[in-house]
Amino acid sequence: MNRQEFRLHGKETIDYIADYMENIHKRRVVPSIEPGYLKELIPGEPPQKGEGYQALIEDFEKFIMPGVTHWQHPRFHAYFPAGNSWPSILADMLSDALGCVGFSWAACPAMTELEMIMLEWFGKMIGLPKEFLPFTEDGMGGGVIQASASECNFVSLLAARFEVMKELRQRFPFVEEGLLLSKLIAYCSKEAHSSVEKACMIGMVKLRILETDSRFRMRGETLRNAIQEDRNLGLIPFFVSTTLGTTSCCSFDVLSEIGPVCHENELWLHVDAAYAGSAMICPEFRPLMSGIEYAMSFNTNPNKWMLVNFDCSTMWVRDRFKLTQALVVDPLYLQHSWMDKSIDYRHWGIPLSRRFRSLKLWFVIRSYGVEGLQKYIREHVRLAKRFEGLLRGDAMFEIVGDVIMGLVCFRIRASEEANQLLLTRLNSSGRIHMVPASLNERFVIRFCVCAENASDRDIDVAYDIISQAAKHIMHETSAEPLLEDQYLEALEEEGIDTSAVHDHTEPQRRMSNVSQGGFEVYSPTFEKQPSKEDLLNCRSGKDLATKRSFLVRMVSDPKCYNPKIVRHLNMANYRKMSQDVARDRTIMKSMSIRKRPTRLSENSAGSSTSPKENAACWESEEEEEQLCQAMQSTGIQTPI
C-alpha cells in the first residue's frame, strides 16, 4: 500500500467506523457462534502474494464481525464500560502513526512529558492530595499510565514487598530471605478484584481475604482483628488492597476506617478505583474517597468510564522512589545523558516498551472539557437510578446492594436456578448482554450503563426485555435451566450414542407414568427413536432464538467453562428424580423376588410347616416391615 492508497482506504475505513457506530443497534449484542468458528473460515496457510485492501475489509465484515461482542452496543450492559470516543480513536491513530516506543525520556521526550502533565491534570480533576501529584514542589509523589488496573495492583504489591523485605533484612541479617518472604501476608476483601489474588500468587506472598459488612464493604475493625490474629501466628502483615467501586456490586470500602489501621500498623495501603475513580471528577462523589490521605498508591481507569480507549490505567504513588527501587534494572544500552534530570518510565512498571497512551487522554480531556466529562458521568448515574426505579416498582425483582454509580445488581424473587435461567435466556436472545456476580452466595445479575450516548429509551427497552423474560420464567411450572442437556444425559443413560446429536438439540420428549407392581414411577421416554436424518434436520433447522451456544453459557456462569461441567451442574433436579426412580425400582425388585405364602393360604391348603420354615417366614415378615418403612419418602438412603 502506497501513500495514495493509504489516503483513499483510510477515508474508507473512517467511513466504515462511523457507519458501524451509527448502525450498531441493528446488530446482535453477542455473537451466535461457537469456539473454533473462525478456523473453518480462514485458510490454514498464509497467502504467498499480497491481497488488495478491498478483499481485507470484505473479509473483516464477513468473518470477523460475526464473532464480535459489541461493547459499544446500546444494550451491552455487561462488565463495565469500555471507554470509546471519536477524539480517543483519532489520538490512537496518531500514536500508531508515530510508532514511538517510549521506555525512557530520551526515547521520546514528548511522550514522557505529556504523560506527566496528564497525571497532574487528572489527579487534580479527581481531587487527589497534592502529595501524589508529579509537579508538587519538593514532593516525592508521581504518576504513571499502566496498561491495566491488574498491573497497578501488582506493581503496588511489589513496591510494598520490597520495602518490607528491605527492613526485615536489616533486622534479621542472618535469616534466610525465603523464610522471611514466607511470613508476609496481604489483605483484601472478598469483593476485591481477582487481580489482587493473582498479584499475591505471582509475588509469592500469603493473602487473607476478609469478610465484608451488609453493604459489601471492608471495615476497619475487621482488618484490625485480622492483623492481630496473624501477628499472633507469627506472620508479618505488610499490604492492604482496598476498592472504591468493587467489580461485583460497586461497593466502597471504608477508607476512613481502614486508613488509620494501616497507618498504626505501618502497612502499605493501595486503593483500586478502576471503575469508580473517574466519577471523582464530580465533587458530589468525593466523600467516598474520605481517607485517601492514608494511601500509598491509587489507581483508576479512564479507559472504563472516561471515554478513553483501552489501554489507559492511571496510577499515582505517594513516594515514587519506593516504587522505582523495586523495579529498576539499568543496563548500559538504556542509559542516556539526561537521566539525572528526567523520569524514565521503564522503572515504573513491568514492561520496557510503552505506547503513547497519554495522547488520547489529552485529546479527550481537551475535547470534552471537565464539564463535559462530568455531564457524561452524571447522566450514566441518573440512568442507573432510573433502571433501579423501574425494578423497585416491579414486585418480581429485588435490588441487591446500593446503587451509587452506574451499576445495578438485581435478581428475580425466585430460586438460584431461575435467576441463572433468566440470564442465560436473555444473553442467548442476542438482544441484551449482562453478566452475573455472587453476593453472599446469592446469584445476582449485573446491569451496567455502558454506552456513551445511552438514553432513557435504552433503559426502558432493556427493562422491557428483562421483564418479559422474567414473567415467562416466573409463570413456568418447572424451571429446567438446560433442558436439552437433560435429554442428552437421558440418552446416554439409555446407552444410545449421542455423538451425532448436536449439543443444543432438543427433540420432543415426554414424561410418562410407568406402572410397576402398583407403584407409579417417572422415567424419560421418547415419542420415537430419532433417525440420523431427523437429528441432522433438527440440528440445521433449529431457531436461533432457542440456540444456546457454549459462549452464552460461559458468560452467564463464569464457573462453567466446560460443556460437560455445564451439563452436570444443571442436572441436580434430574439426578434427584433418577435417584427416586432407582430407589422405587430397588424396592419393587426386592419385593418381587420374595415368594412367601401367607398363613391363610397355608391353612386352606391344609399344609404344615416346620419350625425352621416358620422362622424363615417371620424373618420375611420383618424384612417386609423394613421395606414398607423404606418406601416412605423419608426412610431410605438413595442407593449409590
Side-chain angles (χ1 to χ4, degrees):
M1 184 182 294
N2 57 36
R3 188 183 304 110
Q4 289 72 25
E5 289 173 327
F6 174 75
R7 290 181 186 274
L8 173 64
H9 297 314
K11 293 173 182 176
E12 292 174 352
T13 304
I14 291 290
D15 288 338
Y16 178 91
I17 294 171
D19 291 340
Y20 164 73
M21 297 298 289
E22 183 179 356
N23 299 300
I24 192 173
H25 63 280
K26 298 178 182 178
R27 298 178 183 261
R28 285 177 58 98
V29 187
V30 290
S32 58
I33 49 87
E34 297 181 3
Y37 89 98
L38 196 57
K39 185 179 178 182
E40 304 300 323
L41 301 176
I42 292 182
E45 300 293 332
Q48 295 300 314
K49 295 184 178 181
E51 302 178 51
Y53 183 78
Q54 195 60 38
L56 291 175
I57 201 70
E58 287 175 0
D59 285 353
F60 175 81
E61 178 63 36
K62 189 188 305 181
F63 302 144
I64 304 303
M65 274 301 189
V68 169
T69 298
H70 299 285
W71 284 62
Q72 309 307 320
H73 197 288
R75 282 183 292 283
F76 179 94
H77 299 289
Y79 312 109
F80 284 124
N84 194 14
S85 63
W86 302 123
S88 179
I89 293 171
L90 294 175
D92 251 350
M93 289 177 61
L94 291 173
S95 173
D96 292 341
L98 294 174
C100 298
V101 182
F103 48 78
S104 68
W105 183 90
C108 185
M111 186 186 300
T112 299
E113 301 211 1
L114 183 62
E115 188 161 334
M116 293 173 65
I117 295 170
M118 287 304 99
L119 270 298
E120 178 82 10
W121 278 19
F122 193 28
K124 289 179 178 179
M125 287 168 61
I126 62 178
L128 280 180
K130 64 179 182 179
E131 290 80 8
F132 286 92
L133 303 180
F135 298 137
T136 299
E137 189 175 356
D138 298 325
M140 301 180 68
V144 60
I145 301 179
Q146 307 282 16
S148 67
S150 300
E151 194 172 329
C152 295
N153 290 331
F154 183 43
V155 298
S156 297
L157 181 127
L158 291 181
R161 190 189 72 172
F162 185 91
E163 189 68 15
V164 71
M165 287 297 292
K166 182 173 66 173
E167 180 185 346
L168 291 174
R169 281 193 293 265
Q170 293 174 353
R171 290 174 57 191
F172 307 104
F174 303 109
V175 177
E176 185 181 355
E177 189 168 321
L179 180 59
L180 295 175
L181 188 64
S182 70
K183 299 291 185 180
L184 299 184
I185 185 166
Y187 301 91
C188 70
S189 86
K190 69 177 183 179
E191 300 302 331
H193 193 266
S194 60
S195 61
V196 179
E197 184 176 353
K198 180 176 286 189
C200 292
M201 180 177 67
I202 301 173
M204 295 186 294
V205 296
K206 295 178 175 63
L207 173 67
R208 180 166 177 176
I209 300 176
L210 304 178
E211 288 296 321
T212 56
D213 65 7
S214 60
R215 296 169 63 187
F216 310 105
R217 306 175 302 173
M218 187 200 296
R219 304 299 296 267
E221 192 61 29
T222 305
L223 176 62
R224 179 179 283 107
N225 294 338
I227 291 171
Q228 188 58 51
E229 289 173 5
D230 290 334
R231 281 187 169 152
N232 292 341
L233 294 173
L235 299 176
I236 304 172
F238 79 105
F239 179 80
V240 178
S241 179
T242 56
T243 310
L244 297 182
T246 58
T247 303
S248 296
C249 63
C250 200
S251 58
F252 289 76
D253 292 339
V254 187
L255 293 184
S256 57
E257 297 178 2
I258 297 170
V261 175
C262 293
H263 182 71
E264 294 164 11
N265 292 275
E266 299 181 346
L267 308 186
W268 183 294
L269 174 59
H270 176 67
V271 179
D272 178 7
Y275 167 62
S278 297
M280 302 306 156
I281 66 175
C282 302
E284 62 267 30
F285 295 124
R286 288 182 192 164
L288 295 167
M289 289 177 64
S290 177
I292 190 64
E293 62 273 12
Y294 293 100
M296 289 295 293
S297 52
F298 176 90
N299 74 272
T300 186
N301 289 12
N303 63 248
K304 278 190 171 67
W305 207 14
M306 219 176 78
L307 300 173
V308 177
N309 288 71
F310 183 83
D311 53 351
C312 184
S313 185
T314 51
M315 174 185 174
W316 293 263
V317 288
R318 182 179 294 274
D319 187 340
R320 61 182 180 270
F321 300 105
K322 289 184 177 180
L323 174 63
T324 56
Q325 70 180 354
L327 300 168
V328 63
V329 176
D330 201 22
L332 180 61
Y333 55 81
L334 294 177
Q335 297 175 16
H336 56 89
S337 57
W338 299 100
M339 290 175 59
D340 57 334
K341 296 182 179 180
S342 65
I343 281 181
D344 285 351
Y345 276 125
R346 60 193 170 94
H347 300 313
W348 291 59
I350 303 301
L352 171 65
S353 302
R354 311 183 74 253
R355 300 177 62 244
F356 204 160
R357 301 186 182 102
S358 58
L359 197 62
K360 52 192 172 187
L361 187 57
W362 187 43
F363 270 45
V364 168
I365 294 175
R366 290 189 63 186
S367 297
Y368 287 85
V370 176
E371 291 182 359
L373 294 170
Q374 289 173 337
K375 180 181 177 181
Y376 157 73
I377 286 174
R378 286 168 179 152
E379 178 65 5
H380 272 206
V381 175
R382 185 190 70 80
L383 292 173
K385 291 289 186 181
R386 178 183 180 87
F387 184 71
E388 178 193 16
L390 292 171
L391 293 181
R392 289 195 184 278
D394 192 329
M396 280 193 303
F397 299 100
E398 61 175 307
I399 303 295
V400 183
D402 299 330
V403 179
I404 302 174
M405 297 293 174
L407 178 67
V408 182
C409 292
F410 70 96
R411 53 181 281 130
I412 55 175
R413 300 181 187 275
S415 65
E416 298 291 284
E417 292 77 12
N419 278 277
Q420 293 174 18
L421 176 59
L422 171 62
L423 182 58
T424 300
R425 286 190 180 176
L426 288 170
N427 286 340
S428 62
S429 72
R431 301 172 66 195
I432 193 169
H433 186 41
M434 296 174 290
V435 292
S438 178
L439 296 174
N440 285 342
E441 311 303 326
R442 300 177 74 205
F443 184 94
V444 300
I445 301 172
R446 298 171 72 262
F447 179 96
C448 188
V449 182
C450 293
E452 176 186 356
N453 298 310
S455 64
D456 288 352
R457 183 180 180 278
D458 293 326
I459 299 302
D460 294 343
V461 169
Y463 169 74
D464 290 340
I465 293 171
I466 295 168
S467 178
Q468 184 181 21
K471 285 176 183 176
H472 282 297
I473 290 174
M474 295 292 281
H475 286 85
E476 287 177 358
T477 55
S478 62
E480 298 180 350
L482 293 175
L483 203 58
E484 69 276 16
D485 283 335
Q486 295 184 15
Y487 166 66
L488 291 177
E489 186 91 350
L491 279 179
E492 291 174 354
E493 291 182 1
E494 293 288 335
I496 300 172
D497 181 19
T498 61
S499 59
V501 186
H502 192 274
D503 188 43
H504 311 298
T505 308
E506 186 182 356
Q508 287 189 340
R509 67 212 179 104
R510 60 187 174 86
M511 302 300 294
S512 65
N513 295 349
V514 181
S515 179
Q516 295 186 12
F519 289 91
E520 285 200 339
V521 295
Y522 293 91
S523 62
T525 60
F526 309 96
E527 299 293 345
K528 64 177 182 178
Q529 180 69 30
S531 65
K532 183 175 181 180
E533 184 179 355
D534 291 336
L535 294 173
L536 291 174
N537 290 337
C538 186
R539 174 179 179 177
S540 60
K542 59 184 176 297
D543 189 85
L544 281 176
T546 60
K547 180 178 180 181
R548 307 246 282 277
S549 71
F550 169 69
L551 171 66
V552 169
R553 283 184 284 168
M554 184 179 73
V555 299
S556 297
D557 187 351
K559 297 185 295 299
C560 303
Y561 297 107
N562 183 298
K564 291 234 176 244
I565 297 175
V566 174
R567 181 170 63 198
H568 288 288
L569 284 180
N570 287 277
M571 285 298 300
N573 294 335
Y574 182 76
R575 287 192 184 283
K576 178 65 170 60
M577 182 189 71
S578 299
Q579 289 169 353
D580 292 342
V581 171
R583 179 197 66 194
D584 293 340
R585 284 179 174 171
T586 302
I587 294 171
M588 291 307 302
K589 184 176 179 181
S590 300
M591 294 182 66
S592 63
I593 62 175
R594 303 183 189 282
K595 299 181 179 179
R596 177 181 55 81
T598 64
R599 289 188 182 83
L600 181 60
S601 62
E602 289 171 357
N603 293 338
S604 62
S607 62
S608 60
T609 59
S610 66
K612 185 175 181 180
E613 290 171 337
N614 281 330
C617 177
W618 285 107
E619 182 180 349
S620 297
E621 286 179 355
E622 291 173 2
E623 290 175 1
E624 182 177 358
E625 254 181 48
Q626 294 172 0
L627 283 172
C628 290
Q629 293 173 0
M631 284 185 288
Q632 298 175 6
S633 60
T634 59
I636 188 169
Q637 181 174 342
T638 306
I640 297 176

